[in-house]
Each structure stands twice: as C-alpha cells, then as structure tokens.
Amino acid sequence: MALNLTINSSNPPLGVLLAAEHVKGSVNLSVDEGKDNKLRVSESVQFSDVNSITRYLARVTPTLSLYGSNMLEQTEVDHWMEFSTRRVCGQSGLATALGELDMALALRTFLVGHSLTLADLCVWAALKGSNDWQSIQKQAGAFSHVARWFSFLGSQVPFTAVGNKYANSKA
Amino acid sequence: MPMYQNGTEVDPAFRDLEVRQDKIMRRLNELKAAVDGLAKTVTTPDADLDQTVTSLSQSPTATSFRGTADLDSLLGKDLGALRDIVINANPARPPLTLLVLHAMLCQRYRVLSSVHVHSSVSGVPAQLLSCLGPRHADSYVRQRFQLGFTLIWKDVSKLQMKFSIQNMCPIEGEANVARFLFRLVAPYPSDPALATLVDSWVDTAFFQLAEGSAKERSAVLRALNGALGRDPWLAGPELSLADIACYCCVLQTGPAASSPANVQRWLKACENLGHFGPANPLLQ
C-alpha cells in the first residue's frame, strides 16, 4: 500500500513533514509539493487537515508508538495536538500557552511518556513556525523548560533535516 | 581494618558511626511516614476538588450493574482509590457530548456521578445541576463503584478534565475528553483510516460546526450529507464517536429542519438509539 502525501509548498506543514520523516522507514510514503496538504490513502479515503494526517501516519506505524503506548498517553497526545493547533497557532496570547507548556515540561524530557510522540512533533512544529517564539527564544531564561526541550528535539536528525529544508520557506 | 568485637574495646569512631546510623534510620522512618501520609492524600480522589461549594445531584438510581473488570487493562492497575474523572465545564457551554457519553459509561460500568458548582459561577440553571440524573442511593460507599464522574460547573475558558493526576497532564477541550470517555465505552475502529476518520469528524464538529461561521457550518452540513448518503453512520456501518459529536453540535447550532435530507434521516436514527436522552433537555 503506497501512501501519497502532497504538501502546500508555500506554507509547509512542519508537523506533517516531521511525522513523515519518522515513519518513512516503516511505510511506503511519497511526498510531493503542491498547493494543498493532502494524504491520499486510497481512491476513496484522503485526509487534508494536519492533525488527521499525522494521526493516520502514527496509526499505520504502531510499532513506533507515536500515538502513545496506552490509553492515558493517547489522551495526552490528543490534548497536545489540539494545543498545538488552537493555542500555539491560535490568536490568543502565546505567553499563556508557553507558561502551561513550561509547567508540563518541568519534569519531563518528552511531552508524553518517555519517548517521542505526535505531541512532541506537533507542538515543536507549531513553535518552530511561530515568529513570536523565535523572538521569545532570544531572551535569556524565558520559559527555560520549553527552551531546553525545543533545542533538545531540534538538534536531532529528523528535526534538523525538516527544519533546514522547510522552515525558512515559511517566513 | 579491625573488626567491631564484643563491645568492649570499641574504637570511638565506630560508636560515633553507630549513633549516626541510628539517627539516619530514625530520620528515614520519619520521612517514610510523611511520604505515606502524602501518598494517602494524593490518591484520595476528593483531594482534587478545589473549594467547590454546593454538592448536588448524583447518578442514575437504576444503574445496571453490568460493570466489567476490563478497566484495569484499559487504564492500568490503580492504587485502590476510586478512579475519578473530574471535569470542569462552563455552564454557558454545556458539554452535551460528555453527558451522552456519561450515560453510555453508566450502562457499562458502576459510575458514581456528582455535580458541583464552583464559587466562580452563580445562577446555574436547574437542568444543569441535575444533568447527571438523580443522586445514587449507595453514593456513600465509594468502593461499590468502578468509576467516579464529577462534573464541576466553573468559569473556565476551555473545558478541562483531570484524571489520574500523578500520571497524566490535565486534558483540555471537549473533543479530547470525549475521545477519552469513548475509549472507555468502546474501542476505536481497528482500521487506521476509519479511526482517523472518526477523529477528523470530531474535530470538524467542535471547531467548524460549533465555533465556525455560518458559511463553515453549511459546508460541514453538505459534507455530512455526502458522507451519510454512502453509509448509515459517519464512520461506516457502526455508530461511533463521530456520530455523537456531530449530532450534538448540529442540534446545538441550529434547527434540525434546515438540514439536508440525509442529515435529517441520520438525526432521526440517532434519536431512535436512545443514547441522546440526557442531552435533549439542554438543547434549545
């Protein structure tokens, strides 16, 4: 089963691209550039919103546990996915959202459980694409847990690859 | 190094060490007692109820005691305390889907339900205070129940759920709480595409139907009509969370009569199932 992912090249969905990088060894997935984000699963099934695309990619690669490893973790992943689209990318103040994120990360290396999940990918991607976060990040000591987590993930291979290739074209 | 023998010729350094060790052991025991005490406070579910005021109605009297023992496998072993799902919701936006899912939980588990009003809100309408049904006759014996369901009307900007606070962050958003509750009632479809379709409809219901503009709303109604022309339910042959979320959000945002034909037929089919009784008194 070959999956076909088309991305909006003028505003690349970083979360989707990160998920695609992570699963590409486990599924047959081709990525094309186009006008809209779309994951074609079959003739009749396709997903066009970012959270649905990443959810599907996580579900077809269950061994990677990107959707968490139990029901409680799945629920936390759901929470952070909505957080990334509604709170980080949303209209209301980023500072409040960052405050909550900072508290959640105080005792954690990854947002959910002890390994990488969609929660990390989606929230990291949302911050990476946020100009406000880029300027907040330059202030020393601001949201130190978020900063630590952000640079920890950002220094790893799939993140550097996606960041270098696409983040600049977003601005 | 000389060994400690008979206590007669003891090196004073050893005696000092012994005294120090005793001291440390005493201190450790004190610490252990303190931690045990804290653990008790934390694992007692009521600890999470922050300064709530009036305690009102409680769950259905006629709970069918069909509870199954699979909560352990779904949620992991607990420490013996009642698993309490605590939800903070704003009375200005009653979470209809959660009321429907609460009724479904009650059919499956022994649920101890209660409604409270936080001091941040006042004048909560009577139908919201009784929305989880009448007080349960056994409500004082918590160990007879498998799940607690505590709804707190509170001035929150987004609905929140606190559950298993040692292991889990507070969950925000009605959509995500609904996903959690539904997983307790029935598993998601095992097919990844169907499961994702369910989640996609849930997002559509809460963000485009419930919060969107008139234009978005009519686009969603057209999409619903198309999907319901192919299948009886939104995610195929079986009722799913997609139907529950969309049903509540369609009725919450406008009169059923203005919906397209397939949607109207589906709304009727939903009503016939009887799951939506708890939500109906709250629909305008």
Side-chain angles (χ1 to χ4, degrees):
Chain A
M1 176 186 66
L3 296 170
N4 181 261
L5 175 66
T6 311
I7 60 152
N8 174 356
S9 52
S10 59
N11 184 11
L14 293 181
V16 166
L17 290 162
L18 281 172
E21 277 293 308
H22 277 91
V23 304
K24 72 179 179 189
S26 313
V27 286
N28 185 355
L29 173 70
S30 66
V31 182
D32 297 316
E33 300 202 350
K35 283 204 183 78
D36 295 303
N37 301 322
K38 192 185 289 176
L39 179 71
R40 232 177 63 105
V41 176
S42 65
E43 284 302 323
S44 57
V45 180
Q46 52 189 35
F47 297 107
S48 54
D49 71 296
V50 167
N51 284 352
S52 296
I53 295 174
T54 48
R55 276 195 170 100
Y56 181 82
L57 292 178
R59 281 181 169 134
V60 284
T61 54
T63 48
L64 301 178
S65 302
L66 286 177
Y67 211 142
S69 52
N70 59 47
M71 198 189 128
L72 300 182
E73 289 186 8
Q74 281 172 358
T75 304
E76 287 187 277
V77 170
D78 287 333
H79 163 83
W80 291 115
M81 287 175 78
E82 182 176 323
F83 181 91
S84 73
T85 46
R86 313 289 299 183
R87 303 283 305 280
V88 179
C89 303
Q91 307 302 317
S92 61
L94 182 65
T96 328
L98 282 172
E100 286 174 34
L101 187 60
D102 204 51
M103 215 145 64
L105 284 167
L107 295 173
R108 286 169 175 267
T109 305
F110 298 99
L111 272 172
V112 178
H114 299 287
S115 61
L116 194 81
T117 62
L118 291 185
D120 298 297
L121 302 186
C122 293
V123 176
W124 189 88
L127 284 179
K128 183 79 180 170
S130 155
N131 292 331
D132 289 345
W133 168 244
Q134 303 304 333
S135 51
I136 290 172
Q137 226 192 333
K138 292 195 184 89
Q139 304 163 19
F143 304 109
S144 57
H145 300 296
V146 182
R148 158 183 51 79
W149 165 87
F150 188 78
S151 66
F152 162 63
L153 292 184
S155 64
Q156 300 187 34
V157 171
F159 292 86
T160 45
V162 170
N164 292 342
K165 191 163 171 201
Y166 294 101
N168 298 332
S169 56
K170 188 161 176 147
Chain B
M1 202 175 173
M3 297 295 293
Y4 172 64
Q5 280 169 352
N6 294 336
T8 46
E9 283 179 63
V10 183
D11 186 330
F14 277 118
R15 197 169 300 141
D16 284 355
L17 267 179
E18 207 175 11
V19 170
R20 244 180 83 199
Q21 191 186 10
D22 283 349
K23 242 190 210 160
I24 291 172
M25 290 310 289
R26 262 203 307 281
R27 183 80 190 109
L28 275 176
N29 275 327
E30 281 165 28
L31 277 174
K32 185 174 179 298
V35 168
D36 283 347
L38 277 175
K40 235 176 241 162
T41 324
V42 170
T43 53
T44 305
D46 284 335
D48 192 45
L49 282 182
D50 41 349
Q51 21 147 338
T52 46
V53 193
T54 23
S55 166
L56 286 150
S57 68
Q58 317 271 327
S59 100
T61 40
T63 314
S64 39
F65 279 66
R66 281 201 282 135
T68 43
D70 55 3
L71 271 181
D72 277 351
S73 63
L74 280 173
L75 299 173
K77 289 255 184 277
D78 71 344
L79 296 160
L82 181 72
R83 296 179 167 100
D84 201 0
I85 299 167
V86 179
I87 293 170
N88 293 321
N90 196 317
R93 292 182 299 281
L96 298 188
T97 44
L98 304 192
L99 301 185
V100 173
L101 288 164
H102 167 261
M104 294 172 93
L105 279 173
C106 288
Q107 288 176 353
R108 194 174 160 87
Y109 304 106
R110 299 187 299 275
V111 183
L112 176 60
S113 321
S114 54
V115 179
H116 302 266
V117 180
H118 188 261
S119 55
S120 60
V121 294
S122 57
V124 176
Q127 71 263 36
L128 295 187
L129 299 179
S130 58
C131 65
L132 298 185
R135 191 185 170 82
H136 202 288
D138 288 335
S139 56
Y140 55 92
V141 229
R142 293 174 77 92
Q143 65 270 28
R144 288 202 191 152
F145 297 88
Q146 295 172 294
L147 269 182
F149 193 102
T150 305
L151 177 61
I152 302 170
W153 296 115
K154 186 174 177 180
D155 184 19
V156 283
S157 60
K158 264 194 126 168
L159 183 130
Q160 300 165 338
M161 176 184 79
K162 291 179 187 172
F163 179 77
S164 181
I165 44 171
Q166 304 101 304
N167 311 316
M168 202 177 169
C169 67
I171 303 301
E172 224 177 47
E174 187 175 341
N176 302 320
V177 177
R179 287 180 173 111
F180 171 75
L181 297 181
F182 190 78
R183 286 187 185 112
L184 289 173
V185 176
Y188 264 60
S190 56
D191 175 53
L194 270 187
T196 305
L197 190 63
V198 170
D199 281 321
S200 164
W201 278 119
V202 171
D203 278 344
T204 304
F206 285 105
F207 303 124
Q208 280 150 49
L209 269 178
E211 292 177 13
S213 61
K215 204 173 145 201
E216 274 182 284
R217 184 181 136 74
S218 52
V220 174
L221 285 175
R222 277 197 303 279
L224 279 172
N225 202 46
L228 292 166
R230 293 187 292 273
D231 282 306
W233 303 105
L234 285 172
E238 305 225 11
L239 179 91
S240 72
L241 182 61
D243 300 287
I244 297 170
C246 288
Y247 174 90
C248 291
C249 292
V250 166
L251 287 190
Q252 219 167 1
T253 52
S258 62
S259 312
N262 293 334
V263 175
Q264 294 213 29
R265 182 179 47 74
W266 162 81
L267 288 173
K268 286 254 158 53
C270 289
E271 271 151 38
N272 288 340
L273 286 177
H275 291 310
F276 295 92
N280 283 333
L282 305 179
L283 288 166
Q284 306 89 332

